[in-house]
Amino acid sequence: MQSRSNDPFELEAMTALRRDFHAHPELGFEEVRTSAIVAEKLEEAGIEVHRGLGKTGLVGTLKIGDGSRRIALRADMDALAMPELADRPYKSGTPNTMHACGHDGHTVMLLAAARHLARTKNFSGTVHFIFQPAEEGRGGAKAMVDEGFFKQFPVDAVYGLHNMPGLATDEMAVVSGPQLASSDSWTVTYRGVGTHGAKPHLGRDAVTAAAHFLAAIHTIVARVVDPLQPAVVSACALEAGDFKALNVIPDIVRIGGTARAYRADVRDQLELEIGNIARGVAATFGIEVDYEFLRRIPPVVNDGDATARALKAAQAATGRPVVTDFPPSTAGDDFAFFGAEVPGAYVWLGNGPAVDGALHHNSRYDFNDDAILTGARFWATLVEQELSA
């Protein structure tokens, strides 16, 4: 991949590489091919590469001049376990695996910026390019942090970027404060006494208890959480009984779901109240209950100073007004584990109209290659401004 003066970000080659990644998607902690290609392209540009952090994760380090400030830029590499239903020349060739969230584009944009910065050297300081595995619920960021990312690569600030359907490909949104919600899982298991469906009085009905629980949990957001604080409690899985035995009331009913919040105290409140309702219903029906709340991903909350720096870079990179009142999302992103350690900012880059399967996690989604240039410009501009020579 040789740069040309009129193509500083190697757009033709990077577009081809993005489509190659799309055709060869890999799930979290399985990004062997993807990370190997990224490492090769970084080393080819003279960037030092550290492999194997978080299994398939890697970090590229570029130090120019004697500047003391150090920053990190993060892109995620993993795909999702779902089939690709749209027909395109670079359609996924891996069964039940596709890039349905644009991580192929995220990887290429950061790679393009890294190679550009290695050639131009128009900054003074240290930048670490994080190519993270397993963002889609498998814990890649936490793995990298737990394995010593901040000890090996101390930084003053960290930045993340995600594509957003509905914004134009040369448009960005940069907002201080909450960006993404905490993403936690919970399970409630009711243990009753099974009996004949015609003789419910001889047992303890866990199914009816579960029904009361499912109705009651929606009072948490409606009647317990401060109405000015966004929160979500959703039941998403239910296991009980057998449709081949519709005259049997089962002993056990298992329910599972998700909880989302933007503030730590609201997150605590959701954990407490789901458990209170689970135990209260169990007491009402005279049955046993097991409750587990699994804290998976904290909320992403943008630091004020880091956000101001990102906003300045976005304005310069796009040459147009940057959206600063973009609403937060109830989705989650484990970039939160990086942002919890040092000041951080997570920004949005347009992916074009939100139509024809363009929404994230849709089986017809595709990253919009027109956004590669904007994303690469943003990353390069942010480095050159933050680490001004």
Side-chain angles (χ1 to χ4, degrees):
M1 293 183 182
Q2 296 301 316
S3 175
R4 301 173 183 175
S5 60
N6 62 346
D7 185 17
F9 294 103
E10 307 168 297
L11 281 181
E12 183 177 345
M14 286 297 165
T15 298
L17 182 59
R18 201 286 298 178
R19 296 183 178 191
D20 176 79
F21 285 154
H22 190 94
H24 300 88
E26 296 172 302
L27 299 178
F29 295 126
E30 300 174 18
E31 307 95 336
V32 176
R33 180 183 185 274
T34 303
S35 61
I37 292 173
V38 171
E40 175 190 347
K41 299 305 179 187
L42 291 173
E43 289 176 333
E44 181 182 277
I47 297 170
E48 180 183 349
V49 175
H50 179 100
R51 295 173 173 83
L53 194 66
K55 194 173 180 179
T56 47
L58 60 91
V59 179
T61 298
L62 184 60
K63 186 179 189 306
I64 302 296
D66 57 3
S68 61
R69 186 166 174 82
R70 305 157 298 182
I71 63 173
L73 317 179
R74 175 271 210 168
D76 35 20
M77 301 187 293
D78 58 321
L80 283 151
M82 57 186 288
E84 182 164 11
L85 299 184
D87 243 350
R88 47 182 62 104
Y90 48 91
K91 179 179 179 179
S92 169
T94 306
N96 203 47
T97 307
M98 76 166 288
H99 273 294
C101 205
H103 297 185
D104 47 351
H106 299 170
T107 299
V108 165
M109 288 187 291
L110 186 57
L111 179 60
R115 289 171 60 87
H116 171 77
L117 290 163
R119 289 189 298 270
T120 58
K121 299 179 174 61
N122 187 29
F123 68 95
S124 181
T126 303
V127 55
H128 298 295
F129 306 99
I130 305 170
F131 291 89
Q132 181 205 310
E135 185 277 327
E136 296 288 0
R138 295 191 175 191
K142 187 175 188 300
M144 294 187 83
V145 172
D146 288 348
E147 291 178 21
F149 172 82
F150 286 103
K151 290 181 180 178
Q152 295 182 59
F153 310 101
V155 295
D156 301 301
V158 63
Y159 297 90
L161 177 152
H162 204 290
N163 74 90
M164 178 52 69
L167 296 175
T169 55
D170 61 348
E171 187 175 22
M172 296 186 69
V174 182
V175 185
S176 186
Q179 299 306 298
L180 293 148
S182 57
S183 178
D184 300 320
S185 301
W186 54 264
T187 57
V188 171
T189 304
Y190 284 116
R191 303 181 185 279
V193 178
T195 185
H196 197 297
K199 302 176 182 180
H201 61 292
L202 299 180
R204 296 286 185 177
D205 188 355
V207 174
T208 302
H212 280 255
F213 169 81
L214 288 171
I217 58 171
H218 297 295
T219 64
I220 296 172
V221 174
R223 287 294 178 267
V224 179
V225 174
D226 182 340
L228 298 180
Q229 299 303 323
V232 175
V233 176
S234 291
C236 303
L238 180 64
E239 296 177 350
D242 190 328
F243 277 86
K244 295 179 181 178
L246 294 180
N247 60 350
V248 176
I249 296 174
D251 293 88
I252 296 173
V253 179
R254 188 165 177 250
I255 309 163
T258 189
R260 309 284 171 116
Y262 294 120
R263 282 186 13 180
D265 58 334
V266 177
R267 191 185 191 193
D268 294 341
Q269 195 173 26
L270 297 182
E271 178 177 3
L272 174 66
E273 294 299 333
I274 295 170
N276 285 344
I277 291 175
R279 288 183 286 269
V281 169
T284 299
F285 284 85
I287 62 178
E288 296 179 355
V289 64
D290 298 323
Y291 169 56
E292 182 180 13
F293 190 94
L294 178 61
R295 294 191 171 226
R296 297 176 58 248
I297 303 173
V300 173
V301 181
N302 280 356
D303 171 80
D305 178 65
T307 302
R309 295 168 184 265
L311 175 60
K312 181 181 176 184
Q315 290 168 335
T318 63
R320 60 179 294 178
V322 175
V323 180
T324 56
D325 59 353
F326 199 73
S329 169
T330 52
D333 192 310
D334 65 0
F335 175 82
F337 287 103
F338 292 112
E341 298 293 327
V342 296
Y346 184 101
V347 305
W348 304 101
L349 167 64
N351 196 59
V355 296
D356 299 329
L359 294 176
H360 300 139
H361 295 216
N362 184 291
S363 56
R364 289 177 171 79
Y365 171 91
D366 190 21
F367 178 83
N368 192 329
D369 291 323
D370 290 342
I372 294 175
L373 178 59
T374 309
R377 277 179 176 165
F378 167 74
W379 283 134
T381 303
L382 179 64
V383 172
E384 291 169 351
Q385 289 183 352
E386 277 254 23
L387 309 179
S388 174

